[in-house]
Amino acid sequence: MLWAMWCPDSFEDTHILRTLVGKYEGKPVKFIAVASAPVYHSQTLGQPAQVFLDAADDSTEFKTATAAFISSTLAAQQSGILPIAPYFDLRLRLMLNPAPRLQPGAGFGERADWQGAFRAEAETQFYGVPGFWLISDSGAVLAKPFRGNVYHPHGAEVHINYTFSDVDAAIQALLH
């Protein structure tokens, strides 16, 4: 299965992105898909645990895991599951989890102040995905993030915080 490397919730949410991309084609709205590697569950790719967080960029283990993740994600794009070319966040730098037990090892490299900036406030999930952020061309956040959909709970309940209609209504309001 092409999506086996993604969390099931992110896979389920791709229908929202596919519909938005189709609806806004040719309009002054652009979408950026961020493919975040399974940094806390790299074994789903058959790779060593924590390889995306702990291995150095030039290590064979990191290069192998990176190639597997990129290949799987591009296959999902080619099949139509992912409607646009993704940006690859191989070390989860955009949504880095601040929990002390989930911090990266020495191979992660230097950490910048902006790392974790796209992790929503009060996020409780490992990765903080799926989610949608509405951002201006200048980088200003235009609305609170749409986040926290749980389609496949791990001992919890299904919880849907937003739908296509919610994201679409926010975009429509910003365009008018």
Side-chain angles (χ1 to χ4, degrees), residues 19-105:
T19 306
L20 289 168
V21 167
K23 179 175 182 173
Y24 289 98
E25 186 174 352
K27 296 192 172 131
V29 176
K30 292 186 175 50
F31 296 94
I32 299 171
V34 177
S36 298
V39 299
Y40 306 117
H41 302 92
S42 50
Q43 302 92 316
T44 62
L45 286 172
Q47 303 301 316
Q50 298 273 118
V51 67
F52 292 106
L53 289 177
D54 296 345
D57 287 345
D58 60 354
S59 70
T60 300
E61 296 84 8
F62 183 78
K63 289 177 182 179
T64 300
T66 296
F69 178 68
I70 290 172
S71 175
S72 296
T73 304
L74 292 177
Q77 180 195 358
Q78 291 167 353
S79 74
I81 292 170
L82 192 59
I84 55 178
Y87 165 83
F88 289 97
D89 186 1
L90 299 171
R91 295 200 185 261
L92 196 65
R93 292 184 190 276
L94 295 172
M95 299 179 89
L96 191 62
N97 193 320
R101 67 184 179 87
L102 298 175
Q103 295 310 293

